[in-house]
DNA sequence: CGTAGACCCTGCGCGC
DNA sequence: TGCGCGCAGGGTCTAC
């Protein structure tokens, strides 16, 4: 359900609530997620620690924890990171004390304030685990990841380099986490429309100018979506349970048959790599 | 090696 | 009203 912008909006809204708070206990209600929740490890790594900061890598939310009472300047080796991935249907929110247990609430982190940070995930494609912070980079979930599209080094030449020797449609390429992270099914279609590139165009047939245009389009569409609070089509919500607004700005995604905002031609839907893909047959080549 | 497809799972909206 | 079907914003594994 969430792509990079949604996770980034979540990071910011949760940060305001969580930084400085101590997790008193961990309740695992239903361990069945993409990988089974490790109750003992979560308790050991998370319970009794204080939230230092929230980061994001790709579509993973990283919650850095330190021993409570620690001023942060010492014992860095004891720091842990709680990693949360929302999959397709995950919602991570802070709810007040006494909020009833919800169907599909897999895990809850009870704070000293009485509130709890809980993950509700009906489809169970989400992921929650903890590890020593120092081991993040080498962890198998992160080791193979490509460029952050909002970070340094994401530009036309970098995309062109990554495409060298490869074939296949550019949309699939943009969504390959080994190339660049965070671009999911919505924003891949949106970025291609902005750049005027046909989703099925082979990566072997894209010139330098168009790679540059694509890199810019990816960055601007993600930044705009963050500014609008993300896209809520069905069930995305930030840490307070609020919806995003970017769905009104979507140019092509889920708009089959609607007139293209640039040329008026009806938006088309095709399937690429098993995923719905939307584009304008006239302005995307 | 890279790429295409199946698969994991529940819920919802649609057409009949 | 009820049912079956297709579809859903992610990632990983297998077969070619």
């Amino acid at each position: 359900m969430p792509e990079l912008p949604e996770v980034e909006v979540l990071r910011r809204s949760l940060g305001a609530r969580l930084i400085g708070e101590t997790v008193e206990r961990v309740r695992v209600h239903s361990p069945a997620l993409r990988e089974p929740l490790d109750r003992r490890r979560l308790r050991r790594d998370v319970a009794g620690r204080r939230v230092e900061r929230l980061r994001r890598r790709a579509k993973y939310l990283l919650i850095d924890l330190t021993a409570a009472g620690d001023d942060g300047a010492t014992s860095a080796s004891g720091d842990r990171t709680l990693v949360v991935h929302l999959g397709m249907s995950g919602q991570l929110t802070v709810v007040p004390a006494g909020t009833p247990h919800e169907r599909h609430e897999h895990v809850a982190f009870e704070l000293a304030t009485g509130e709890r940070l809980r993950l509700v995930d009906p489809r169970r494609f989400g992921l929650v685990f903890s590890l020593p912070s120092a081991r993040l980079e080498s962890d198998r979930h992160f080791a193979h990841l490509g460029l952050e599209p909002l970070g340094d080094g994401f530009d036309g030449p970098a995309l062109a380099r990554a495409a060298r020797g490869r074939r296949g449609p550019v949309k699939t390429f943009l969504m390959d986490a080994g190339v660049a992270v965070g671009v999911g099914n919505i924003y891949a279609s949106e970025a291609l429309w902005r750049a005027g590139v046909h989703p099925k165009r082979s990566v072997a047939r894209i010139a330098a100018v168009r790679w540059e245009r694509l890199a810019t389009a990816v960055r601007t569409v993600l930044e705009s979506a963050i500014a609008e609070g993300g896209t809520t089509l069905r069930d995305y919500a930030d840490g307070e349970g609020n919806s995003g607004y970017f769905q009104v700005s979507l140019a092509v995604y889920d708009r089959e048959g609607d007139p293209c905002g640039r040329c008026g031609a009806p938006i088309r839907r095709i399937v690429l790599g098993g995923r719905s893909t939307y584009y304008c047959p006239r302005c995307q080549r």
Side-chain angles (χ1 to χ4, degrees), chain A residues 15 17-22 50-53:
Chain A
R17 295 288 292 274
L18 292 181
I19 289 171
E21 299 295 337
T22 300
R50 196 184 61 220
V51 177
E52 274 290 288
R53 59 175 177 160

Side-chain angles (χ1 to χ4, degrees), chain A residues 239-285:
Chain A
E240 317 265 350
N242 302 310
S243 298
Y245 291 96
F246 193 72
Q247 61 275 15
V248 250
S249 307
L250 293 177
V252 288
Y253 187 84
D254 210 15
R255 296 203 186 286
E256 183 180 16
D258 288 0
C260 166
R262 201 185 289 128
C263 76
I267 299 303
R268 230 173 249 176
R269 173 184 178 275
I270 55 172
V271 175
L272 271 184
R275 317 292 297 273
S276 283
T277 304
Y278 300 86
Y279 71 102
C280 169
R282 195 183 297 168
C283 11
Q284 293 178 247
R285 299 286 155 164

Side-chain angles (χ1 to χ4, degrees), chain A residues 52-130:
Chain A
E52 274 290 288
R53 59 175 177 160
L54 276 71
R55 293 179 291 153
R56 179 191 56 73
R57 173 73 171 119
K59 296 167 191 164
Y60 293 88
L61 182 70
L62 311 176
I63 302 176
D64 288 328
L65 305 158
T66 193
D70 195 334
D71 62 9
T74 56
S75 74
S77 63
D79 291 349
R80 296 289 187 274
T81 299
L82 173 63
V83 180
V84 180
H85 193 295
L86 300 180
M88 291 280 258
S89 59
Q91 289 196 0
L92 187 67
T93 50
V94 177
V95 295
T99 305
H101 182 270
E102 184 159 316
R103 191 168 153 76
H104 303 302
E105 179 173 333
H106 292 271
V107 58
F109 302 92
E110 295 181 0
L111 307 177
T113 60
E115 299 165 308
R116 72 183 193 274
L117 173 69
R118 72 175 182 187
L119 178 74
V120 174
D121 183 7
R123 290 181 71 182
R124 305 191 217 153
F125 293 156
L127 191 55
V128 177
F129 65 97
S130 58

Side-chain angles (χ1 to χ4, degrees), chain A residues 192-205:
Chain A
L192 287 162
W193 179 82
R194 289 184 180 223
V197 177
H198 196 290
K200 278 173 89 169
R201 172 170 284 273
S202 165
V203 293
R205 303 250 181 289

